[in-house]
C-alpha cells in the first residue's frame, strides 16, 4: 500500500468557516458571464490534458483500477463533460417556457435554473477524479 496523503480531522467550526468562504466566493462567481466561466472550464481542461499521466496514476493508487480505466472512465469522461458544457451549457441554462393552456392564457410558465450555492456532496469512491 502507498500513502496518498494526510487530511486533517476537521471540527464543525472548521467546516462552517470553509462553507462561509465558499459562500462568499460563490457570490462573485454568480456575477460572471458564461463566456468567463467557459474560460475557467477551458483552463481546467487544459490542466487535465497536460497532467493525464499524473491524474491516472493517482486514480489508480486511490481506487485500485487499471490505468486504462482511469484514462477512459476518469480523464476522458471529465474532459468530455467539460467540452459538452462549454458547447451547450449557455443554451441549457436559458429559461425554458412551457405551455399554460387556454384557462391560463394570461399567465406565463417557465423553468429557470438558479444556483443552489454551497452544498455538500457525498460521492462514490470508485471514480475519485470524475466525481470531483
Amino acid at each position: 500500500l502507498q500513502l496518498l496523503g494526510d487530511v486533517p480531522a476537521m471540527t464543525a467550526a472548521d467546516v462552517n468557516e470553509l462553507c462561509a468562504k465558499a459562500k462568499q466566493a460563490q457570490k462573485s462567481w454568480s456575477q460572471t458571464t458564461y463566456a468567463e466561466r467557459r474560460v475557467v472550464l477551458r483552463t481546467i481542461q487544459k490542466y487535465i490534458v497536460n497532467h493525464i499521466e499524473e491524474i491516472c496514476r493517482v486514480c489508480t493508487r486511490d481506487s485500485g483500477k487499471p490505468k486504462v480505466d482511469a484514462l477512459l472512465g476518469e480523464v476522458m469522461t471529465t474532459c468530455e463533460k467539460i467540452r459538452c458544457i462549454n458547447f451547450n451549457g449557455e443554451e441549457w441554462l436559458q429559461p425554458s417556457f412551457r405551455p399554460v393552456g387556454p384557462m391560463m392564457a394570461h399567465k406565463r410558465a417557465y423553468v429557470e435554473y438558479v444556483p443552489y450555492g454551497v452544498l455538500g456532496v457525498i460521492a462514490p469512491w470508485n471514480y475519485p477524479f470524475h466525481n470531483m
Side-chain angles (χ1 to χ4, degrees):
L1 292 176
Q2 187 176 13
L3 179 66
L4 295 177
D6 293 313
V7 178
M10 298 177 79
T11 65
D14 295 333
V15 174
N16 288 336
E17 181 182 340
L18 288 174
C19 287
K21 287 180 181 179
K23 185 176 183 178
Q24 191 62 36
Q26 198 277 331
K27 286 180 184 176
S28 60
W29 176 255
S30 71
Q31 300 304 308
T32 60
T33 65
Y34 202 85
E36 292 169 319
R37 295 174 187 195
R38 197 177 276 124
V39 169
V40 172
L41 288 171
R42 282 191 187 122
T43 302
I44 292 169
Q45 190 168 35
K46 283 179 187 175
Y47 181 89
I48 293 168
V49 169
N50 290 329
H51 293 86
I52 289 174
E53 189 65 33
E54 179 184 355
I55 293 167
C56 288
R57 185 173 56 252
V58 171
C59 289
T60 298
R61 286 190 329 198
D62 189 38
S63 66
K65 66 178 66 180
K67 251 183 171 175
V68 69
D69 287 351
L71 176 64
L72 295 173
E74 302 269 5
V75 174
M76 290 180 68
T77 303
T78 301
C79 285
E80 172 53 20
K81 279 186 173 181
I82 292 171
R83 185 208 62 78
C84 187
I85 290 168
N86 270 340
F87 187 77
N88 299 298
E90 188 169 17
E91 180 184 337
W92 289 346
L93 291 175
Q94 296 303 309
S96 177
F97 289 88
R98 302 293 195 259
V100 293
M103 294 304 292
M104 299 297 264
H106 62 291
K107 301 280 186 177
R108 290 186 326 171
Y110 60 92
V111 174
E112 182 175 17
Y113 297 95
V114 179
Y116 283 121
V118 178
L119 53 92
V121 176
I122 299 172
W125 63 271
N126 57 338
Y127 288 96
F129 182 75
H130 171 70
N131 286 327
M132 295 299 284

